[in-house]
Amino acid sequence: MTIVPVLLCGGSGTRLWPLSRKSYPKQFVPLMGDETLFQAAAQRLTGQAGRVVFDAPLVLTNSDFRFIVTEQLQAVGIDPGAILIEPEGRNTAPAILAAALHAAAHDPEAVLLVAPSDHVVPDTEAFHAAVARGLKAVEVGQLVTFGITPTHAETAYGYLELAECPDHTGAPVALKRFVEKPDEARAQEMLAAGNFKWNAGIFLFKAADMIAAFNQHAPTLLDPVRSALTAARPDLGFLRLDPDAWARAEDISIDYAVMEKATNLSVVPFDAAWSDLGGWDAVWRESGPDADGIVTSGAATALDCKNTLLRSESETLQVVGIGLENIMAIAMPDAVLIADMSCAQSVKKAVTALKEKGAAQATQFPKDHRPWGWFESLVVGGRFQVKRILVHPGAALSLQSHVHRSEHWIVVAGTARVTIEDKVKLVTENESVYIPVGSKHRLENPGKVPMVLIEVQTGAYVGEDDIVRYDDVYARG
């Protein structure tokens, strides 16, 4: 049976700050190895395994991430199906309904597997086997969710109470009820009971059955989401949902809108490893601590430490821990988090506090990713700024000008094609060019390797909003 994978990737992941931020959240970051969580999720939902045959993935994301999605899929050799752009985050219920309606327009009997794009599931074969078991329930009109067998009394997850303890075959079991995140004592009780599973937020269903469930349990969502799809407009291979209609959709999760009310729910038990990496303590566990409980990543060194996570995200920033116990320290070029491991779920409070102070580090990633590549600020002064800019092979920045600043470009790797007004020239490594204030200009990489340059801006104002665009291959406003 062919399954349409639906990848949800619009979250911000504040509990993994400072590595995960609103402008570049955890699903797009290589947290566990060289691949990002999004890439790993997409690869997990491709190919064929027994009864399970995956179609091209359907992706729901927001406008800021649309080019990151295509770039990361291309990097692992995956051709996406439709990529739906949500004008604003309205939680999982409208997103899943949009996916169901989109799939049903082509085939009402289409089977969808909805999964967050920021989970870790090391055993792909076991996951495919669980999906295959769930298909039996889907064929008789059930909405299927997946319950993770708890390994400890976790208080950060919601739970699923099964009508009975599952047998050794892992066959689908009727769901009795959803359970909110418990306190420590209740979590211990549920762990001992044997018929409680962690709620993974992964769903398998026929498009027609999910639409029927919305019609019965959340009918007010149907009109705005259907209208948002009907009035959606294509944009460079993406499908932008209509913002006015989408804004009328209630901001609500699929659990609250449908799943907690539906009577045709089945749970497939999943006994293999799984994590939503919902905090740095989860990253520590999934990274395989050594005999002393130590996990280091990047330029990090631990001396006489126990149960400690040390992580440096900069090659030039050495993180050294001495005599630490139950500590997590994550260093970025512009921010450092140091906390007791027991406070992992409180990291989002730091993000809130930084927002209140107006600190850019609360939401902005040090590297600003664009469809053509990325840039990072190296030095910012009163009337100047120094950036490092990387442009992908064949990519081009918009034709633009600036009202308040001039720019000096020094190429340090590759070759740049530079347009200044009506003149075009190639600038190679160790050469530079000057762009006067107000001049129309464009930067391109005509080569087959990434092009890197240092940009020195000078002027009364060097903010990113001092850009007048005249032409842009990425159709940005």
Side-chain angles (χ1 to χ4, degrees), residues 25-44:
K26 67 176 182 176
Q27 59 265 30
F28 301 121
V29 174
L31 267 165
M32 307 289 294
D34 295 331
E35 292 178 346
T36 69
L37 298 179
F38 172 69
Q39 289 173 318
Q43 289 181 300
R44 189 162 55 247

Side-chain angles (χ1 to χ4, degrees), residues 151-199:
T151 57
H152 58 280
E154 179 61 65
T155 59
Y157 297 154
Y159 285 70
L160 306 171
E161 183 178 1
L162 279 54
E164 57 185 300
C165 289
D167 61 27
H168 69 281
T169 68
V173 179
L175 176 67
K176 185 175 181 180
R177 67 186 177 105
F178 286 80
V179 180
E180 295 290 343
K181 296 176 183 178
D183 58 23
E184 179 68 25
R186 181 60 179 141
Q188 291 287 357
E189 292 174 1
M190 292 191 290
L191 180 64
N195 66 321
F196 288 86
K197 303 288 183 181
W198 289 337
N199 182 5

Side-chain angles (χ1 to χ4, degrees), residues 16-21 24 26 28-34 280 283 287 295-301 309-320 329-337 365-367 376 388:
L16 288 181
W17 184 89
L19 183 57
S20 176
R21 308 189 195 181
Y24 204 67
K26 67 176 182 176
F28 301 121
V29 174
L31 267 165
M32 307 289 294
D34 295 331
W280 284 113
V283 174
S287 299
V295 171
T296 59
S297 177
T301 304
L309 170 66
L310 300 179
R311 186 172 182 126
S312 173
E313 296 298 327
S314 170
E315 294 178 357
T316 61
L317 199 160
Q318 292 286 336
V319 175
V320 180
I330 295 86
M332 295 285 290
D334 64 338
V336 179
L337 170 70
F365 202 70
K367 286 184 179 178
E376 60 181 340
R388 176 166 57 169

